[in-house]
Amino acid sequence: MKIIVISLTIILLVLALSLYIPFSPKLLQPASVVSLRILDRNGYLLREVLSDKEGKSQWVSLKDISPNLILATVAAEDSRFYEHWGIDTRAILRAILQNVRARKVVSGASTLTQQVIKSIHHFPRDWFWKFVEIWHALRLEVSLSKDEIITQYLNRIPYGNQTFGINAASWLYFDKPPAHLSLAEAALLAGLPRGPSIYNPYRYFLRAKKRQQEILARMLSKGVVTREEYRRALEEPLNIIPPQLSFRAPHFSDFVLSRIPLKERQDISSIRTTLDIELQKDVETLVKNCVESLKEWKVTNAAVLIMDNEKREILSLVGSADFFDSDHNGQVSGVTALRQPGSALKPFTYALALEQGMNPATLILDAQIRIRSNGIDYIPRNYDGKFHGLVRLREALASSYNVSAIRVLQRIGVESLLGRLKKLGFDSLSKGADYYGLGLTLGGGEVTLLELVRAYSMFTNSGVFRKEKIFLEINDTQGKAKLLPEYSSLRLFSPQVSYIITDILLDNDARIPAFGAGSVLCLPFPCAVKTGTSGNFRDNWAIGYTPHYTVGVWVGNFDGKPMRNVSGVSGAGPLFRDTMLLLQKRERIANPNFPIPEGLIEAYVCPRSGMLAGSSCPGRIKEIFIKGTEPGEYCNLCSAVASFTL
Ligand SMILES: [Zn+2]
């Protein structure tokens, strides 16, 4: 018996003495937080990213924190904080009882001191570690004053939405320093650490508000606020800053971050990007309005990408109608998502055809044909359901006839098209030519809006391809500028071929047979454009360019549900048009024409034969040719027909 008493006394003595082992100051130092600021091209803040481990946290001293918050936090988390020595024996006894009943550790009954320990050590949840935590908490109380402990707590604890510490939370939710928090605001924030996602005010405002009211009531019952203060706090409207305002151009910021490996992020303090936030805001509105207007057609999302042609800078990137709309997968970006491009790849097929000696007047047969694509036999149809017989290459591309595109691809070969597309940055087309088959030109493979836009911008740069630019300046944590990634330029088509494709995509008359006159694609300035619709109306595209900008628009549903009968002209078309008009209004470009390269000649051809127009031909069409590919002979079809009827 004596031995037991003695050994117990010794153990207790050792434990008591061990509490005086000083706390390592290193553990209590403010967390070194690396913050990375993503800016638009004019230095406007788009997003502040904190290293994933730390979250948003900027250390503040107690005098810079509103007393309201300190009182509310104590009331919410640990009402006997100023009385206990690190553990709350009453709360622990209650918790033990609950735990024994539930036969596991369910209730923590943690004091603010214990929570500080938890935020430093992250112990596992079991009985043994609970005792270790308590031992540390008692030690902390020996080393630090109550004010120092609550300062540690308020600076370390998570408040949800990647914020750690009251400073970051105060700025995020109320856009003000923590010294200026009102009683109502303080009570709301004090309630968050208990369950940062359960009480997330962005998602569950009413829940967070209810907890705020409970905390205010507890403060009243403890006598730390007067009845009058309590009443006013209850009535005070809570102006929570919507996440949109602290999360600008969200898909673009995500895109920027995806280009920087996690390891490198630690060394970067700011990135000035190519985005133009003013333009971005306008485009975001256009996208929202577009999706709203297409609701009846079962459209839930749209995306827009704008690139400056000369520098290939991304000026605006809108990935979905609403980043925060989780019902429609708003966080998915329509700019980088893999989708079927429909007819949007056809211009590259025809560009290859021109390169291989065909010309815009070459006749191509548009008649029923059976092909094999992705392992399936099928008969491609035209959008209007008809076949058009012999059509000129210009009409075939402008009116987007499917069978003509297949016939052209048969001539140039799938292998050759696929090889060129890969050089054009279509990394998503990762399978072999056999897999895609002739359906490649009808959009059988999957690509991204980004790939389409940068490939189209090649046409406006005389056939020279270069990858997009998103960084203007990257500064490291010492404020030194880092070397920016440079992409090399690659000539993929001649200036003449590029110009002819542009001239065809500009041609409002040539697309009349398929799209009608005066469609939304006719803009009051020269603008080349191509639409596309994937099988089953899942994706709808309009990609086009002026000499200065390339714009890509995708309209569809992320869940793969088909839209109701939406074509490029009624779906993506109007949004493309609005975006182009917006750009035109901003720039007021003096000379909106595409420059014509050397080496092209004009000739009049017969619309029926594509040969040089003769006297018997019904009308003459002015066409452009790469020197040497123009037809050499006069039309013999019309003169033969004429002599036959005589
Ligand atoms: Zn003729």
Side-chain angles (χ1 to χ4, degrees):
M1 188 66 189
K2 218 172 165 185
I3 295 170
I4 297 174
V5 172
I6 290 170
S7 38
L8 262 178
T9 316
I10 291 172
I11 291 172
L12 281 175
L13 209 71
V14 169
L15 272 177
L17 282 173
S18 74
L19 297 181
Y20 287 88
I21 301 171
F23 233 88
S24 157
K26 219 173 142 191
L27 287 175
L28 299 172
Q29 265 171 10
S32 63
V33 173
V34 187
S35 113
L36 189 166
R37 291 156 63 82
I38 302 177
L39 311 168
D40 95 327
R41 60 188 306 118
N42 298 311
Y44 191 92
L45 181 66
L46 301 176
R47 193 192 290 183
E48 186 166 8
V49 191
L50 285 291
S51 75
D52 289 1
K53 222 159 130 202
E54 313 286 356
K56 285 190 191 183
S57 153
Q58 301 279 316
W59 206 265
V60 278
S61 62
L62 206 58
K63 66 173 177 30
D64 294 322
I65 298 173
S66 160
N68 287 323
L69 184 87
I70 297 162
L71 293 172
T73 301
V74 170
E77 290 292 325
D78 186 2
S79 57
R80 281 182 291 275
F81 174 68
Y82 291 103
E83 291 138 40
H84 63 60
W85 308 338
I87 52 167
D88 187 343
T89 34
R90 256 194 280 177
I92 286 184
L93 284 176
R94 202 172 51 228
I96 288 176
L97 247 140
Q98 282 172 0
N99 287 335
V100 168
R101 272 193 216 127
R103 287 166 189 271
K104 59 178 183 199
V105 184
V106 285
S107 173
S110 293
T111 60
L112 294 181
T113 322
Q114 285 170 280
Q115 292 187 50
V116 171
I117 296 297
K118 277 186 200 170
S119 78
I120 296 172
H121 285 300
H122 309 288
F123 294 133
R125 278 171 71 105
D126 64 32
W127 288 104
F128 172 75
W129 289 107
K130 193 80 195 166
F131 284 115
V132 176
E133 176 194 307
I134 288 171
W135 177 69
H136 278 299
L138 294 171
R139 268 180 69 209
L140 192 64
E141 289 273 346
V142 172
S143 311
L144 301 188
S145 70
K146 287 284 182 188
D147 277 357
E148 285 169 331
I149 292 170
I150 201 161
T151 306
Q152 288 282 335
Y153 173 89
L154 292 172
N155 278 295
R156 286 179 179 279
I157 218 73
Y159 286 86
N161 294 296
Q162 272 76 55
T163 57
F164 286 74
I166 189 58
N167 194 28
S170 181
W171 281 107
L172 178 74
Y173 297 117
F174 295 112
D175 199 25
K176 55 165 83 163
H180 296 171
L181 290 171
S182 71
L183 177 58
E185 292 161 347
L188 184 103
L189 293 181
L192 301 182
R194 175 68 57 91
S197 35
I198 301 172
Y199 300 112
N200 182 353
Y202 292 152
R203 294 196 72 167
Y204 310 110
F205 178 74
L206 289 179
R207 235 187 247 169
K209 173 78 187 162
K210 195 162 163 266
R211 176 143 169 84
Q212 177 231 26
Q213 289 164 347
E214 286 164 11
I215 291 167
L216 287 169
R218 210 172 300 166
M219 293 173 84
L220 178 67
S221 74
K222 295 273 171 193
V224 294
V225 293
T226 65
R227 185 155 287 280
E228 178 57 22
E229 286 168 333
Y230 169 74
R231 199 185 51 75
R232 262 187 290 148
L234 280 187
E235 282 169 9
E236 186 186 316
L238 288 164
N239 296 318
I240 298 217
I241 307 297
Q244 284 84 340
L245 294 185
S246 49
F247 222 61
R248 297 165 183 95
H251 286 115
F252 177 75
S253 298
D254 281 356
F255 181 63
V256 167
L257 288 174
S258 75
R259 291 285 171 96
I260 302 170
L262 265 175
K263 257 169 96 187
E264 284 177 33
R265 277 187 215 171
Q266 306 277 346
D267 310 325
I268 298 173
S269 70
S270 73
I271 302 173
R272 195 157 64 83
T273 66
T274 56
L275 193 95
D276 180 334
I277 190 67
E278 294 306 321
L279 176 64
Q280 172 79 7
K281 281 187 204 160
D282 289 345
V283 178
E284 281 173 3
T285 308
L286 291 181
V287 171
K288 249 189 197 114
N289 294 346
C290 161
V291 170
E292 190 60 36
S293 73
L294 291 172
K295 232 184 203 163
E296 270 182 63
W297 282 269
K298 303 235 186 289
V299 170
T300 57
N301 258 308
V304 172
L305 180 64
I306 302 176
M307 187 183 279
D308 161 274
N309 290 332
E310 193 198 332
K311 297 183 175 150
R312 322 283 170 117
E313 292 174 355
I314 289 181
L315 300 178
S316 172
L317 184 161
V318 181
S320 73
D322 181 1
F323 187 82
F324 299 95
D325 176 3
S326 48
D327 291 345
H328 299 111
N329 302 308
Q331 302 212 356
V332 176
S333 172
V335 173
T336 48
L338 284 172
R339 316 292 306 185
Q340 289 201 334
S343 303
L345 291 180
K346 280 180 189 161
F348 307 104
T349 307
Y350 287 98
L352 270 174
L354 293 175
E355 190 181 279
Q356 296 184 9
M358 289 172 82
N359 67 49
T362 304
L363 292 180
I364 304 159
L365 185 63
D366 184 63
Q368 187 168 311
I369 185 175
R370 179 183 290 273
I371 64 160
R372 194 172 177 81
S373 183
N374 297 359
I376 300 160
D377 279 337
Y378 78 109
I379 297 171
R381 310 227 165 251
N382 282 321
Y383 192 72
D384 60 5
K386 299 177 197 151
F387 294 109
H388 303 269
L390 282 170
V391 290
R392 281 172 292 122
L393 184 147
R394 176 180 289 272
E395 287 175 276
L397 172 56
S399 289
S400 206
Y401 295 142
N402 284 334
V403 183
S404 323
I406 294 279
R407 297 235 179 228
V408 170
L409 184 55
Q410 270 178 332
R411 256 165 88 171
I412 59 180
V414 181
E415 200 92 40
S416 151
L417 175 63
L418 188 62
R420 196 64 63 95
L421 289 175
K422 283 184 175 166
K423 281 188 186 155
L424 261 168
F426 284 98
D427 301 330
S428 305
L429 296 172
S430 54
K431 300 201 168 71
D434 287 349
Y435 175 83
Y436 298 114
L438 291 167
L440 181 60
T441 190
L442 303 185
E446 287 189 320
V447 301
T448 67
L449 183 60
L450 172 67
E451 288 170 341
L452 285 167
V453 165
R454 65 189 186 197
Y456 272 69
S457 83
M458 176 268 307
F459 288 126
T460 70
N461 283 285
S462 312
V464 174
F465 172 77
R466 202 168 70 225
K467 279 199 171 171
E468 70 283 355
K469 185 173 177 185
I470 55 172
F471 303 120
L472 289 179
E473 200 182 318
I474 299 180
N475 283 308
D476 68 12
T477 43
Q478 267 77 52
K480 269 205 319 232
K482 284 188 154 229
L483 220 57
L484 296 177
E486 272 296 332
Y487 293 115
S488 50
S489 300
L490 191 63
R491 168 164 303 286
L492 290 177
F493 287 101
S494 71
Q496 295 77 21
V497 165
S498 303
Y499 181 80
I500 292 177
I501 293 294
T502 300
D503 190 61
I504 295 173
L505 297 181
L506 274 175
D507 192 339
N508 289 322
D509 295 335
R511 54 176 172 251
I512 287 177
F515 298 119
S519 77
V520 291
L521 301 176
C522 302
L523 280 146
F525 47 85
C527 178
V529 58
K530 182 78 199 76
T531 61
T533 307
S534 71
N536 299 328
F537 295 105
R538 287 215 171 85
D539 308 275
N540 189 217
W541 310 81
I543 327 278
Y545 49 90
T546 63
H548 294 85
Y549 303 107
T550 301
V551 170
V553 173
W554 168 84
V555 166
N557 299 312
F558 288 132
D559 59 10
K561 285 203 184 110
M563 299 172 278
R564 196 197 291 164
N565 221 358
V566 167
S567 75
V569 183
S570 58
L575 182 53
F576 175 84
R577 179 188 178 85
D578 290 346
T579 307
M580 274 298 180
L581 289 171
L582 179 73
L583 285 168
Q584 185 66 13
K585 211 160 57 190
R586 289 166 56 91
E587 288 292 314
R588 292 200 187 82
I589 296 153
N591 181 10
N593 288 308
F594 288 90
I596 305 173
E598 307 252 301
L600 292 172
I601 56 159
E602 287 181 342
Y604 286 92
V605 295
C606 165
R608 293 170 62 192
S609 68
M611 300 164 87
L612 293 175
S615 53
S616 323
C617 295
R620 296 140 59 85
I621 290 177
K622 192 153 89 171
E623 188 53 272
I624 47 168
F625 299 93
I626 300 171
K627 253 183 212 159
T629 67
E630 69 275 19
E633 286 168 36
Y634 280 89
C635 176
N636 51 20
L637 181 76
C638 299
S639 51
V641 173
S643 53
F644 181 74
T645 38
L646 279 171

